[in-house]
Amino acid sequence: MSDCIFCKIAAGGIPAKIAYEDDLVLAFHDIDPKAPTHILIIPKEHIVSAADINAENSAAAAKCLEAAAKLAAELGLADGFRLVSNCGDSAGQSVKHLHFHLLAGRDFMWPPG
Ligand code: 5GP
Ligand code: ZN
């Protein structure tokens, strides 16, 4: 997936402000934050979206959720946080590599806009 920007970030080819990394997962600060805390959590492996999670790659997706919990604890997000994955064009997915937005530091609307 040489034209995938998040694969390039995972490979170190594009710089990012890293918040967490392990063998399967990378988390980095969003370049255009929508909240005081806005971290993107991605599997290093190229998975297009949540619609493409399957028995072969679900461990990496689950590790993203584990990383979110670790980051929330580390960052002291005791007031709460939002974890969201836009899947597909009508949901507003602009980067076609699975990612979870970890958002915190302000109040969020529900239902989302
Ligand atoms: P989506 O719209 O697909 O749900 O989320 C993609 C997110 O990736 C957006 O919030 C956007 O600001 C962020 N983003 C896009 N390109 C880059 C980049 O090169 N570096 C970083 N750190 N974030 C990016
Ligand atoms: Zn990718």
Side-chain angles (χ1 to χ4, degrees), residues 5-6 9 28-32 34 38 40 86 92-95 99 101:
I5 192 156
F6 285 1
I9 289 174
F28 52 94
H29 292 264
D30 198 290
I31 203 167
D32 180 21
K34 281 78 176 176
H38 187 174
L40 300 171
N86 298 320
Q93 184 183 7
S94 60
V95 178
H99 52 283
H101 298 259

Side-chain angles (χ1 to χ4, degrees), residues 1-63:
M1 272 302 152
S2 57
D3 61 345
C4 172
I5 192 156
F6 285 1
C7 280
K8 286 180 186 161
I9 289 174
I14 293 179
K17 190 179 167 201
I18 306 297
Y20 173 82
E21 182 168 17
D22 64 31
D23 52 338
L24 294 176
V25 168
L26 186 69
F28 52 94
H29 292 264
D30 198 290
I31 203 167
D32 180 21
K34 281 78 176 176
T37 297
H38 187 174
I39 294 172
L40 300 171
I41 306 169
I42 68 166
K44 289 183 172 176
E45 166 189 2
H46 184 83
I47 301 170
V48 174
S49 77
D52 299 278
I53 297 171
N54 57 41
E56 278 71 48
N57 61 27
S58 59
K63 277 277 185 179

